[in-house]
Amino acid sequence: MSKAPKLRTPFYNPDLSYDQNYDQGPFGDFASEEIWQPKQPPRFQFLGQPLDFPFGIPAGPLLNRKFTHAAFRLGFPVATYKTVRRHAHPSHPYPNVMAVKLDGDLTIEKAQQPLIADTTYEQPLSITNSFGVPSQAPDVWQADLNLAVQDARPGQLLIGSFQGTSKGEGVEAFVEDCVETAVLVAQTGAKVLEMNLSCPNEGTSNLLCFDIDRVEQVVKAVKAKVHQPLVLKIAYFVDQAQLVEFVTRVGALVEGLSAINTIPATVVDRTGQQALPGKGRAVSGVCGHAIKWAGLEMVQRLRELRAQHNLQFAIVGVGGVTTVADYQEYRQVGADLVMSATGAIWNPYLAQEIVSTEGVV
Ligand SMILES: Cc1cc2nc3c(=O)[nH]c(=O)nc-3n(C[C@H](O)[C@H](O)[C@H](O)COP(=O)(O)O)c2cc1C
């Protein structure tokens, strides 16, 4: 195990609201003017796009072009613009990010018990995030995303993330919302799109990625309208039979699968009260160091299934990457691209550290 790096000033400030971060961020060294230049031309590829090396920041922490621009300046080859919706959608109230106190891995069993959260951020860092996937209106985010796409120099890639909004208006309306949102993202010129399936499904309380009939329907409808490579962002699957079904039914329809999003758990403060105030926020997603095991395991399972079923999709490994060694571990188990959210927020130099290591893999 490599030594846990010291935590730097986070580029997303958990002491401020989402709107304050959107307007005033990014912070710390993401706010500097520093421009890091690669020492050699791009040596890797991801879905046909040249990459300096297969590493980046997944959907979430990069709230707008100011954030994606900073990520590119500091040498992250891939920057994902935070998930957008078809209509403006407010964020859950502050706080949206808190540190989660965990000893070791957040296993699925441990995630059934309440976890304690506070505002002291320490290594090994795990956090909970609860935003409700806020979005600007498309006229705002399309213009901003278009500029963000153009900021990528050769060897860098901007991914446009989106999701459908479940409004209780029926399945057809939900599918149409997914398709229309995908089209709006495609119009910005983003070369790769990612659809977040770890989001509420229409008409059920379960996540969309666990309703494979619905996923197949949505993906086919999106692919009929959008021609850019499409990556699906999925949660941790406990049930291997369900993952086999997902991969065999959807794996040939898309260009990539990204795993994982967060692991949900009940989060309380030290007095046992709900830590994040408001209805529907007793349970929130946990990410960072304690979920690395789950991301690594999903990458391994996806790689085996891809080989067994002769499929071609690329695998994006996400979850708990905070060190160069974590990146290498994901590459060794088969990730074609590795992403870090929590780790990158608290270490703006993570990409530079990875590429300066002898023999970046
Ligand atoms: C502040 C924050 C916001 C996030 N928002 C989104 C989002 O809008 N869409 C999405 O697909 N995932 C979102 N995620 C999940 C991350 O993309 C990633 O899957 C998860 O955090 C696990 O990676 P990590 O352990 O490196 O943080 C968010 C994560 C964080 C930390």
Side-chain angles (χ1 to χ4, degrees), residues 116-140:
I116 292 174
D118 68 16
T119 53
T120 316
Y121 298 86
E122 295 159 332
Q123 291 282 28
L125 182 62
S126 297
I127 62 172
T128 184
N129 81 77
S130 165
F131 291 89
V133 192
S135 178
Q136 305 293 319
D139 59 338
V140 176

Side-chain angles (χ1 to χ4, degrees), residues 58-61 82-83 97 127 129 131 133 161 194 196 233 260-262 287-288 291 318-321 339-343 345:
K82 186 163 168 61
T83 307
V97 170
I127 62 172
N129 81 77
F131 291 89
V133 192
S161 165
E194 180 177 277
N196 183 19
K233 175 95 173 272
I260 61 170
N261 214 302
T262 54
C287 48
I291 69 161
V318 197
V321 175
M339 302 272 228
S340 169
T342 308
I345 294 175

Side-chain angles (χ1 to χ4, degrees), residues 288-327:
H289 178 75
I291 69 161
K292 187 177 92 173
W293 70 272
L296 281 171
E297 189 202 289
M298 281 290 283
V299 169
Q300 266 167 317
R301 288 159 72 192
L302 289 171
R303 182 193 199 177
E304 281 163 21
L305 291 171
R306 180 175 66 182
Q308 272 168 26
H309 298 279
N310 224 353
L311 293 161
Q312 307 293 328
F313 57 82
I315 300 172
V316 184
V318 197
V321 175
T322 64
T323 63
V324 176
D326 295 334
Y327 163 84

